[in-house]
Amino acid sequence: MIRVLLAEDDIAISEPLARAFRREGYDVTVRADGAEALKAAKDNPDLVVLDLGLPTMDGLEVCRRLRAEGRTAPVLILTARADEVDTVVGLDAGADDYVTKPFRLAELLARVRALLRRGVTGTVEEEGGIRIDAQARRAYKNDEELQLTAKEFDLLRVLVREQGKVVSREQLMREVWETQWFGSTKTLDMHVSVLRRKLGDDATRPRFISTVRGVGFRFERLDA
Ligand code: CA
Protein backbone atom coordinates (compact mmCIF):
# COMPACT_ATOMS: atom_id res chain seq x y z
CA MET A 1 0.00 0.00 0.00
CA ILE A 2 1.24 3.47 -0.85
CA ARG A 3 1.94 5.48 2.27
CA VAL A 4 1.55 9.23 2.24
CA LEU A 5 2.69 11.60 4.95
CA LEU A 6 0.61 14.77 4.99
CA ALA A 7 2.07 17.65 6.97
CA GLU A 8 -0.52 20.41 7.19
CA ASP A 9 -1.68 22.39 10.22
CA ASP A 10 -4.91 23.68 8.71
CA ILE A 11 -7.59 21.12 9.46
CA ALA A 12 -9.84 22.64 6.80
CA ILE A 13 -7.24 21.44 4.30
CA SER A 14 -5.80 18.32 5.90
CA GLU A 15 -9.10 16.59 6.63
CA PRO A 16 -10.61 16.65 3.14
CA LEU A 17 -7.20 15.95 1.65
CA ALA A 18 -6.62 12.93 3.88
CA ARG A 19 -10.07 11.65 2.95
CA ALA A 20 -9.32 12.07 -0.74
CA PHE A 21 -6.01 10.20 -0.35
CA ARG A 22 -7.76 7.35 1.45
CA ARG A 23 -10.31 7.16 -1.37
CA GLU A 24 -7.32 6.78 -3.71
CA GLY A 25 -6.30 3.80 -1.60
CA TYR A 26 -3.35 5.46 0.11
CA ASP A 27 -2.44 4.93 3.71
CA VAL A 28 -2.30 8.45 5.16
CA THR A 29 -0.52 9.81 8.20
CA VAL A 30 -1.35 13.40 9.11
CA ARG A 31 0.89 15.68 11.15
CA ALA A 32 0.10 19.30 11.97
CA ASP A 33 3.57 20.23 13.10
CA GLY A 34 6.95 20.36 11.35
CA ALA A 35 9.01 18.54 13.95
CA GLU A 36 6.33 15.86 14.27
CA ALA A 37 6.23 15.47 10.49
CA LEU A 38 9.99 14.95 10.41
CA LYS A 39 9.65 12.30 13.09
CA ALA A 40 6.85 10.56 11.18
CA ALA A 41 9.03 10.54 8.05
CA LYS A 42 11.32 8.03 9.76
CA ASP A 43 8.77 5.40 8.68
CA ASN A 44 9.84 6.09 5.09
CA PRO A 45 6.57 7.18 3.47
CA ASP A 46 6.28 6.85 -0.30
CA LEU A 47 5.38 10.50 -0.66
CA VAL A 48 5.35 13.59 1.53
CA VAL A 49 2.86 16.40 1.07
CA LEU A 50 4.31 19.32 2.94
CA ASP A 51 2.75 22.64 3.87
CA LEU A 52 5.33 25.42 4.06
CA GLY A 53 3.83 27.26 7.00
CA LEU A 54 3.99 24.75 9.83
CA PRO A 55 4.43 25.28 13.58
CA THR A 56 7.75 24.40 15.31
CA MET A 57 9.64 23.86 12.03
CA ASP A 58 8.66 25.28 8.67
CA GLY A 59 8.14 23.06 5.66
CA LEU A 60 11.30 24.27 3.98
CA GLU A 61 13.42 23.14 6.89
CA VAL A 62 11.53 19.84 7.12
CA CYS A 63 12.26 19.24 3.44
CA ARG A 64 15.96 20.05 3.80
CA ARG A 65 16.30 17.73 6.75
CA LEU A 66 14.47 14.91 4.97
CA ARG A 67 17.00 15.12 2.16
CA ALA A 68 19.89 15.48 4.58
CA GLU A 69 18.74 12.23 6.20
CA GLY A 70 18.90 10.60 2.78
CA ARG A 71 15.16 10.19 2.31
CA THR A 72 14.29 9.98 -1.35
CA ALA A 73 10.49 10.03 -1.24
CA PRO A 74 9.03 12.68 -3.52
CA VAL A 75 7.99 15.86 -1.73
CA LEU A 76 5.05 17.92 -2.90
CA ILE A 77 4.90 21.38 -1.36
CA LEU A 78 1.70 23.17 -0.48
CA THR A 79 2.06 26.89 -0.32
CA ALA A 80 -0.17 29.92 -0.24
CA ARG A 81 2.62 32.05 -1.64
CA ALA A 82 3.60 31.48 -5.23
CA ASP A 83 6.67 33.69 -4.76
CA GLU A 84 8.17 31.23 -2.29
CA VAL A 85 8.04 28.42 -4.75
CA ASP A 86 11.28 29.14 -6.60
CA THR A 87 13.20 28.85 -3.37
CA VAL A 88 11.57 25.59 -2.48
CA VAL A 89 11.65 23.65 -5.68
CA GLY A 90 14.43 25.36 -7.56
CA LEU A 91 17.12 25.68 -4.95
CA ASP A 92 18.50 23.37 -2.37
CA ALA A 93 15.47 22.31 -0.37
CA GLY A 94 14.98 19.24 -2.54
CA ALA A 95 11.23 19.36 -3.12
CA ASP A 96 9.90 17.82 -6.32
CA ASP A 97 6.80 19.80 -7.08
CA TYR A 98 4.42 22.30 -5.57
CA VAL A 99 0.77 23.27 -5.56
CA THR A 100 -0.39 26.73 -4.56
CA LYS A 101 -3.35 27.21 -2.27
CA PRO A 102 -6.19 27.25 -2.96
CA PHE A 103 -5.79 24.20 -5.15
CA ARG A 104 -8.18 21.98 -7.02
CA LEU A 105 -8.29 18.55 -5.44
CA ALA A 106 -8.23 16.80 -8.80
CA GLU A 107 -5.08 18.64 -9.78
CA LEU A 108 -3.33 17.86 -6.54
CA LEU A 109 -4.20 14.18 -6.85
CA ALA A 110 -2.88 14.14 -10.41
CA ARG A 111 0.41 15.66 -9.28
CA VAL A 112 0.66 13.10 -6.50
CA ARG A 113 0.11 10.25 -8.94
CA ALA A 114 2.75 11.65 -11.27
CA LEU A 115 5.26 11.92 -8.44
CA LEU A 116 4.54 8.40 -7.26
CA ARG A 117 5.14 7.07 -10.76
CA ARG A 118 8.42 8.90 -10.93
CA GLY A 119 9.48 8.55 -7.35
CA VAL A 120 11.29 5.88 -5.52
CA THR A 121 11.13 4.61 -2.00
CA GLY A 122 12.93 1.99 -0.08
CA THR A 123 16.33 3.38 0.68
CA VAL A 124 18.44 0.47 1.72
CA GLU A 125 21.29 1.56 3.88
CA GLU A 126 22.76 -1.66 5.08
CA GLU A 127 26.30 -2.70 4.55
CA GLY A 128 26.37 -3.77 0.95
CA GLY A 129 23.19 -1.76 0.58
CA ILE A 130 21.90 -0.05 -2.49
CA ARG A 131 20.90 3.58 -2.43
CA ILE A 132 18.98 5.26 -5.18
CA ASP A 133 18.74 8.97 -5.81
CA ALA A 134 15.67 9.22 -8.00
CA GLN A 135 16.03 12.92 -8.63
CA ALA A 136 19.61 12.73 -9.78
CA ARG A 137 18.95 9.32 -11.37
CA ARG A 138 21.97 7.87 -9.64
CA ALA A 139 22.41 4.61 -7.81
CA TYR A 140 25.05 3.71 -5.30
CA LYS A 141 26.36 0.56 -3.76
CA ASN A 142 28.28 1.17 -0.56
CA ASP A 143 28.38 4.85 -1.52
CA GLU A 144 30.11 4.02 -4.75
CA GLU A 145 28.18 5.12 -7.77
CA LEU A 146 27.00 2.38 -10.08
CA GLN A 147 27.48 3.04 -13.78
CA LEU A 148 24.03 2.20 -15.09
CA THR A 149 22.33 2.83 -18.39
CA ALA A 150 18.95 4.58 -18.31
CA LYS A 151 17.06 1.30 -18.59
CA GLU A 152 19.18 -0.44 -15.98
CA PHE A 153 18.54 2.45 -13.62
CA ASP A 154 14.77 2.33 -14.24
CA LEU A 155 14.76 -1.41 -13.74
CA LEU A 156 16.63 -1.15 -10.46
CA ARG A 157 14.41 1.73 -9.34
CA VAL A 158 11.22 -0.29 -9.86
CA LEU A 159 12.65 -3.41 -8.21
CA VAL A 160 13.90 -1.46 -5.19
CA ARG A 161 10.63 0.43 -4.89
CA GLU A 162 8.83 -2.91 -4.66
CA GLN A 163 11.52 -4.54 -2.56
CA GLY A 164 10.54 -7.75 -0.88
CA LYS A 165 7.76 -8.27 -3.44
CA VAL A 166 7.76 -10.05 -6.75
CA VAL A 167 7.49 -7.73 -9.72
CA SER A 168 6.06 -9.46 -12.74
CA ARG A 169 7.73 -9.41 -16.12
CA GLU A 170 4.66 -7.69 -17.52
CA GLN A 171 4.92 -4.87 -15.02
CA LEU A 172 8.63 -4.40 -15.64
CA MET A 173 8.10 -4.30 -19.39
CA ARG A 174 5.32 -1.78 -18.93
CA GLU A 175 7.10 0.46 -16.45
CA VAL A 176 10.62 0.33 -17.77
CA TRP A 177 10.10 -0.18 -21.48
CA GLU A 178 6.65 1.41 -21.63
CA THR A 179 5.56 -1.37 -23.86
CA GLN A 180 2.97 -4.07 -23.96
CA TRP A 181 4.25 -7.50 -23.21
CA PHE A 182 4.30 -9.65 -26.32
CA GLY A 183 5.67 -12.81 -24.81
CA SER A 184 9.40 -12.40 -25.19
CA THR A 185 11.24 -10.71 -22.38
CA LYS A 186 14.73 -11.47 -23.59
CA THR A 187 15.60 -7.79 -23.32
CA LEU A 188 14.48 -7.83 -19.71
CA ASP A 189 16.54 -10.93 -18.90
CA MET A 190 19.54 -9.35 -20.51
CA HIS A 191 19.18 -6.20 -18.46
CA VAL A 192 18.66 -8.13 -15.24
CA SER A 193 21.77 -10.10 -15.95
CA VAL A 194 23.86 -6.97 -16.55
CA LEU A 195 22.35 -5.30 -13.50
CA ARG A 196 23.26 -8.29 -11.35
CA ARG A 197 26.80 -8.16 -12.61
CA LYS A 198 27.03 -4.45 -11.83
CA LEU A 199 25.62 -5.05 -8.36
CA GLY A 200 28.12 -7.81 -7.83
CA ASP A 201 25.28 -10.30 -7.60
CA ASP A 202 25.50 -13.97 -8.43
CA ALA A 203 22.55 -15.38 -10.42
CA THR A 204 22.95 -18.83 -8.87
CA ARG A 205 22.94 -17.43 -5.34
CA PRO A 206 21.46 -13.96 -5.73
CA ARG A 207 21.71 -11.59 -2.85
CA PHE A 208 19.87 -8.68 -4.44
CA ILE A 209 17.73 -9.75 -7.37
CA SER A 210 16.04 -13.13 -7.20
CA THR A 211 14.35 -14.78 -10.15
CA VAL A 212 10.86 -15.96 -9.36
CA ARG A 213 10.24 -18.61 -11.96
CA GLY A 214 7.31 -18.02 -14.27
CA VAL A 215 6.53 -14.70 -12.64
CA GLY A 216 9.31 -12.15 -12.52
CA PHE A 217 11.93 -10.79 -10.19
CA ARG A 218 12.22 -9.71 -6.60
CA PHE A 219 14.64 -7.31 -4.98
CA GLU A 220 15.44 -8.86 -1.62
CA ARG A 221 15.03 -6.88 1.54
CA LEU A 222 18.45 -6.49 3.00
CA ASP A 223 17.48 -4.97 6.30
CA ALA A 224 16.50 -8.29 7.82
CA1 CA B 1 -0.01 26.23 7.36
Side-chain angles (χ1 to χ4, degrees):
M1 192 183 239
I2 291 168
R3 293 178 306 127
V4 174
L5 172 60
L6 171 59
E8 167 63 76
D9 58 325
D10 184 348
I11 290 174
I13 294 174
S14 67
E15 280 192 344
L17 199 47
R19 264 202 306 277
F21 283 150
R22 290 188 182 112
R23 272 200 306 272
E24 293 277 300
Y26 306 151
D27 181 29
V28 189
T29 302
V30 182
R31 291 291 181 271
D33 169 292
E36 289 298 317
L38 194 61
K39 222 183 280 173
K42 295 201 188 304
D43 291 338
N44 273 324
D46 297 294
L47 180 106
V48 182
V49 177
L50 192 55
D51 177 32
L52 277 194
L54 288 172
T56 70
M57 187 189 294
D58 69 41
L60 201 61
E61 186 57 24
V62 173
C63 191
R64 282 204 187 99
R65 294 205 189 182
L66 285 176
R67 294 308 185 222
E69 288 174 8
R71 302 196 192 282
T72 56
V75 173
L76 177 70
I77 294 287
L78 301 180
T79 177
R81 298 180 46 194
D83 59 330
E84 282 179 331
V85 160
D86 287 348
T87 327
V88 174
V89 180
L91 299 178
D92 60 344
D96 298 274
D97 201 359
Y98 69 93
V99 170
T100 50
K101 296 176 184 175
F103 52 83
R104 290 191 317 125
L105 192 56
E107 186 188 345
L108 188 139
L109 292 176
R111 299 282 190 92
V112 163
R113 276 185 227 116
L115 285 175
L116 285 169
R117 272 200 301 275
R118 202 178 88 193
V120 69
T121 62
T123 303
V124 182
E125 287 169 339
E126 281 291 308
E127 202 184 291
I130 306 298
R131 186 161 54 86
I132 290 185
D133 184 339
Q135 273 187 304
R137 291 185 61 82
R138 287 177 158 172
Y140 303 84
K141 184 188 173 190
N142 297 336
D143 289 330
E144 218 171 283
E145 188 170 356
L146 296 164
Q147 303 301 318
L148 303 179
T149 65
K151 290 298 180 202
E152 286 158 12
F153 177 85
D154 288 336
L155 182 59
L156 182 63
R157 182 177 61 83
V158 174
L159 288 170
V160 170
R161 187 191 68 206
E162 305 293 336
Q163 65 179 286
K165 290 186 282 190
V166 186
V167 188
S168 70
R169 288 169 172 274
E170 291 88 336
Q171 185 180 346
L172 289 168
M173 291 307 287
R174 200 171 53 236
E175 283 205 47
V176 178
W177 279 272
E178 288 167 4
T179 178
Q180 290 291 332
W181 183 52
F182 292 120
S184 169
T185 50
K186 211 175 265 176
T187 307
L188 171 60
D189 286 298
M190 220 173 65
H191 278 78
V192 168
S193 146
V194 174
L195 196 51
R196 274 187 179 133
R197 185 157 47 73
K198 290 185 178 178
L199 291 171
D201 215 353
D202 177 354
T204 57
R205 287 177 56 202
R207 184 159 165 246
F208 297 110
I209 304 172
S210 299
T211 305
V212 181
R213 268 217 222 169
V215 187
F217 300 92
R218 180 179 56 230
F219 194 90
E220 300 297 347
R221 282 189 184 279
L222 302 172
D223 47 4

